[in-house]
Amino acid sequence: MDQPKIERLLRIVKLLQDSDVDYTIEEIAQRVNVSYRTIYRYLDTLETVGFVVINKSPGVKKLCVEKRKAFDFSKLIHFSEEEAFVIDQLIEALDETNVLKQNLRRKLATVYDCAPIIQSVVQGRKAANVNRIVDAIRRKKQVILKNYSSSSSNTIRDRLVEPFELSQNYVQVWCYEPESGKNKLFKMARIEETELLSTGWQFESAHKSKAVDVFRCAMESPFRIKLLLGVRAHNLLIEEYPLAERDVSRCEDGRWMLDTVVQGFAGVGRFVLGLAHDIEIVESDELKNYLKKELQIAECNLLK
């Protein structure tokens, strides 16, 4: 079996193993871009290698495994945009004559079906949590974020939410929280466990996300900033916030200029305060005033 056929076969397996969505033969054929007769031939192939094809209802097929364990497609979840950006940079760095370069791009685009790359295999509790949230968004269901650790409220408790949009870096998720009546950005790493509820969205008309800056912060008012960065600050910026590389340019004096729009100053403020000796604020006065207030608060707290 040639490479394109193998790739189509894997996509069919993924669709048929989805326990929450029923696809007809015609729908699968349309998604894979082959005839429905070809789908039946693929199903025959799957049966020969240990899969059992179940007739769930007229025209609807499902897969299970008879004796051997199949690959767990439920662990396929989104790459973050940052991760996809780094992978794209690594692939781009390969020489044009390297046969692996185009093969990597083609296979990733074919298997994961969009660009930038949005799926990968990850391990552990985070994979399960993200997978449930992705599922909840697709099915428009409510979710309980169990023991969510909130820095803003300094609490650890369960949160009932309606997740509706993954953030640009895919380590956060936009949710509407009925308790507060607000749309909030929740960090995946702060979720201990997730519970997918059978209850559908109740407040879909209120769902609204906001812009998220390269420092992963979402606020009401955007501000343009310009920072001159030394070597240490530049290196740490790119390591911690990979998407910032798109807004960085090299200066003649060997430093780097970060020219970007931030959604408020909480994220960039923490970064600047931690590397104040290696950063010069070229623009904005609002950021300077914000940092002055933060330093005053810090001085009061530390010198009590």
Side-chain angles (χ1 to χ4, degrees), residues 33 50 57 75 238 251 255 266:
N33 196 28
S57 61
K75 288 186 171 62
I238 302 307
C251 302
R255 292 185 291 177

Side-chain angles (χ1 to χ4, degrees), residues 5 53 61 85 159 172 181 194 228 235 283 288 296:
K5 289 182 180 179
V53 180
K61 307 288 185 179
F85 178 76
R159 312 285 283 267
Q172 302 174 106
T194 52
L228 266 177
N235 290 345
E283 187 182 329
K288 292 179 181 179
Q296 290 172 354

Side-chain angles (χ1 to χ4, degrees), residues 75-87:
K75 288 186 171 62
L76 283 172
I77 65 164
H78 287 46
F79 263 130
S80 72
E81 186 181 352
E82 291 178 345
E83 291 167 340
F85 178 76
V86 170
I87 290 173

Side-chain angles (χ1 to χ4, degrees), residues 128-141:
N129 287 340
V130 176
N131 190 59
R132 290 191 195 100
I133 288 174
V134 170
D135 192 28
I137 294 173
R138 179 171 58 86
R139 299 171 57 197
K140 297 187 177 184
K141 298 292 185 181

Side-chain angles (χ1 to χ4, degrees), residues 21-294:
V21 180
D22 292 336
Y23 295 104
T24 65
I25 294 297
E26 287 75 14
E27 287 171 335
I28 295 171
Q30 185 177 13
R31 285 173 173 266
V32 184
N33 196 28
V34 297
S35 70
Y36 75 91
R37 293 185 180 86
T38 301
I39 296 297
Y40 279 111
R41 289 199 294 271
Y42 281 136
L43 294 180
D44 290 339
T45 300
L46 291 172
E47 286 188 305
T48 64
V49 296
F51 286 92
V52 176
V53 180
I54 301 172
N55 295 311
K56 187 173 181 181
S57 61
V60 175
K61 307 288 185 179
K62 287 294 179 182
L63 288 182
C64 64
V65 181
E66 192 170 33
K67 294 180 179 179
R68 63 200 75 181
K69 185 178 181 180
F71 179 79
D72 185 1
F73 283 92
S74 68
K75 288 186 171 62
L76 283 172
I77 65 164
H78 287 46
F79 263 130
S80 72
E81 186 181 352
E82 291 178 345
E83 291 167 340
F85 178 76
V86 170
I87 290 173
D88 186 69
Q89 292 294 96
L90 290 172
I91 295 175
E92 184 60 32
L94 293 173
D95 189 272
E96 290 296 335
T97 61
N98 192 326
V99 69
L100 293 176
K101 184 169 185 175
Q102 293 307 316
N103 284 345
L104 283 170
R105 288 196 183 281
R106 181 177 59 80
K107 289 179 181 179
L108 289 169
T110 299
V111 175
Y112 299 125
D113 205 26
C114 68
I117 305 157
I118 62 167
Q119 293 181 309
S120 177
V121 178
V122 298
Q123 303 296 323
R125 184 182 68 196
K126 181 181 176 182
N129 287 340
V130 176
N131 190 59
R132 290 191 195 100
I133 288 174
V134 170
D135 192 28
I137 294 173
R138 179 171 58 86
R139 299 171 57 197
K140 297 187 177 184
K141 298 292 185 181
Q142 292 186 338
V143 169
I144 295 178
L145 309 180
K146 294 188 175 181
N147 291 328
Y148 183 80
S149 179
S150 171
S151 297
S152 57
S153 64
N154 197 29
T155 60
I156 299 176
R157 63 185 181 88
D158 292 354
R159 312 285 283 267
L160 173 67
V161 299
E162 295 182 358
F164 60 89
E165 182 181 318
L166 290 163
S167 72
Q168 65 174 353
N169 52 24
Y170 290 98
V171 295
Q172 302 174 106
V173 59
W174 279 106
C175 302
Y176 179 82
E177 185 181 48
E179 178 185 355
S180 63
K182 296 180 179 179
N183 293 296
K184 297 183 178 181
L185 195 59
F186 291 88
K187 295 183 181 294
M188 297 290 191
R190 297 178 183 174
I191 304 171
E192 183 174 296
E193 188 60 74
T194 52
E195 180 182 348
L196 178 62
L197 303 179
S198 60
T199 309
W201 288 349
Q202 305 295 309
F203 305 92
E204 184 173 359
S205 62
H207 295 180
K208 185 178 181 180
S209 61
K210 304 172 186 175
V212 179
D213 63 26
V214 297
F215 294 96
R216 309 186 188 116
C217 288
M219 302 290 282
E220 293 290 346
S221 303
F223 295 89
R224 176 167 293 280
I225 63 164
K226 292 184 180 180
L227 305 178
L228 266 177
L229 311 173
V231 174
R232 179 177 174 80
H234 168 262
N235 290 345
L236 289 175
L237 174 71
I238 302 307
E239 290 169 5
E240 294 180 18
Y241 307 102
L243 291 180
E245 186 171 1
R246 298 182 295 196
D247 297 329
V248 172
S249 59
R250 187 72 180 269
C251 302
E252 292 183 358
D253 62 0
R255 292 185 291 177
W256 285 264
M257 177 70 76
L258 172 65
D259 184 350
T260 190
V261 173
V262 296
Q263 305 296 324
F265 299 126
V268 65
R270 288 192 294 269
F271 179 76
V272 172
L273 289 175
L275 294 159
H277 63 285
D278 203 35
I279 297 176
E280 178 184 335
I281 301 175
V282 178
E283 187 182 329
S284 75
D285 290 337
E286 291 90 348
L287 174 58
K288 292 179 181 179
N289 292 332
Y290 172 85
L291 293 174
K292 287 177 183 177
K293 293 179 181 178
E294 289 296 300

